């Protein structure tokens, strides 16, 4: 028998040790997203992340090489979640393109209200404290915003094709404007613990799109 051959991979559930590793890592990422959407990166210590999920501080580095690496994975995780959310809402062909944007705003407002406006946007929070963050985050956050802008620009071009907005509009530029204004509105909503800033921004943005 060839003792150097690689054993065939067994199908079915993964070994309990690997399964436990995966579950703990997933719990850390979920908890990290929760905390960073509320408080940001610099103000949060590892204890605040680890204690509620009963992961010892010494074990954290078994799953992530550093807090910086952990933060980078949180950005990636949140970006993936949010891109899927945008696609679900902005590609809904049962709704007109501008109604889809209204739907996104309503969904986001409901999400903030659920947590009494304590949680905002993880990417926006990190952007606000960029001066205190690892330089590598700058490019990563910029790419996330670029992706979100592209998705909104696609929705706006669909609105152009449907005659909802002027064919003269620069949809790519409008999408950048949307996210600049939206992130500011989210920040103000957290500050005031109120949806007013979200409504004011939405009213102004849509008023500017009228043909």
């Amino acid at each position: 028998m060839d003792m150097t051959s690689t054993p065939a991979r067994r199908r079915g559930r993964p070994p309990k040790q690997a399964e436990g590793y995966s579950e703990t890592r997933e719990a850390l990422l979920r908890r990290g997203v929760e905390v960073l959407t509320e408080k940001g990166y610099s103000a949060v210590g590892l204890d605040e992340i680890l204690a509620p999920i009963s992961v010892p501080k010494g074990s954290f580095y078994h799953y992530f090489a550093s807090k910086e690496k952990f933060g980078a994975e949180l950005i990636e995780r949140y970006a993936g979640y949010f891109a899927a959310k945008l696609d679900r809402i902005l590609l809904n062909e049962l709704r007109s393109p501008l109604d889809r944007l209204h739907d996104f705003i309503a969904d986001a407002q409901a999400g903030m209200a659920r947590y009494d406006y304590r949680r905002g946007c993880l990417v926006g929070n990190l952007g606000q404290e960029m001066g205190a963050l690892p330089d590598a985050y700058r490019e990563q956050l910029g790419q996330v915003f670029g992706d979100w802008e592209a998705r909104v620009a696609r929705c706006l071009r669909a609105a152009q094709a449907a005659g909802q907005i002027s064919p003269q509009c620069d949809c790519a530029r409008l999408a950048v404007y949307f996210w600049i204004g939206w992130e500011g509105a989210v920040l103000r909503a957290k500050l005031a613990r109120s949806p007013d800033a979200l409504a004011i921004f939405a009213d102004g943005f849509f008023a500017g799109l009228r043909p």
Side-chain angles (χ1 to χ4, degrees):
M1 180 182 292
D2 183 1
M3 300 298 291
T4 64
S5 62
T6 302
R9 184 177 178 179
R10 299 178 62 183
R11 296 186 177 183
R13 294 178 63 85
K16 286 188 176 181
Q17 184 177 3
E19 195 174 76
Y21 175 92
S22 177
E23 289 174 356
T24 302
R25 195 174 190 280
E26 184 67 20
L28 285 165
L29 289 169
R30 282 198 305 269
R31 175 62 183 162
V33 168
E34 290 173 5
V35 175
L36 266 65
T37 52
E38 182 172 342
K39 296 188 175 182
Y41 181 91
S42 302
V44 175
L46 286 180
D47 287 341
E48 190 169 356
I49 293 172
L50 302 178
I53 56 176
S54 301
V55 175
K57 190 169 185 178
S59 298
F60 174 83
Y61 297 102
H62 179 63
Y63 302 99
F64 302 96
S66 64
K67 186 184 176 185
E68 179 177 343
K69 295 290 186 183
F70 180 59
E73 290 213 34
L74 292 178
I75 296 171
E76 183 178 350
R77 167 63 61 92
Y78 188 82
Y81 150 78
F82 210 84
K85 178 178 181 177
L86 286 173
D87 283 349
R88 174 175 54 83
I89 297 173
L90 300 184
L91 298 179
N92 179 11
E93 295 188 357
L94 297 176
R95 302 279 284 164
S96 75
L98 288 190
D99 281 343
R100 297 171 209 171
L101 278 176
H102 280 289
D103 291 345
F104 164 74
I105 291 170
D107 181 87
Q109 181 176 326
M112 292 192 73
R114 192 178 304 123
Y115 297 102
D116 193 28
Y117 298 92
R118 294 177 183 275
R119 295 186 189 176
C121 172
L122 184 147
V123 172
N125 285 355
L126 295 183
Q128 290 288 328
E129 53 178 329
M130 191 59 236
L133 300 185
D135 286 341
Y137 288 6
R138 186 182 305 278
E139 182 178 356
Q140 191 177 6
L141 293 170
Q143 289 174 350
V144 173
F145 276 127
D147 177 69
W148 294 355
E149 289 159 5
R151 293 168 195 272
V152 169
R154 180 172 56 192
C155 186
L156 290 170
R157 284 192 288 270
Q160 274 184 328
Q164 290 187 293
I165 64 177
S166 168
Q168 309 304 320
C169 287
D170 183 336
C171 293
R173 192 172 181 85
L174 274 174
V176 174
Y177 175 75
F178 176 87
W179 285 109
I180 290 172
W182 178 251
E183 290 295 341
V186 169
L187 176 65
R188 187 67 175 268
K190 283 185 64 181
L191 178 67
R193 300 277 169 81
S194 161
D196 292 351
L198 306 178
I200 291 169
F201 167 75
D203 289 347
F205 181 80
F206 288 110
L209 295 180
R210 291 171 188 156

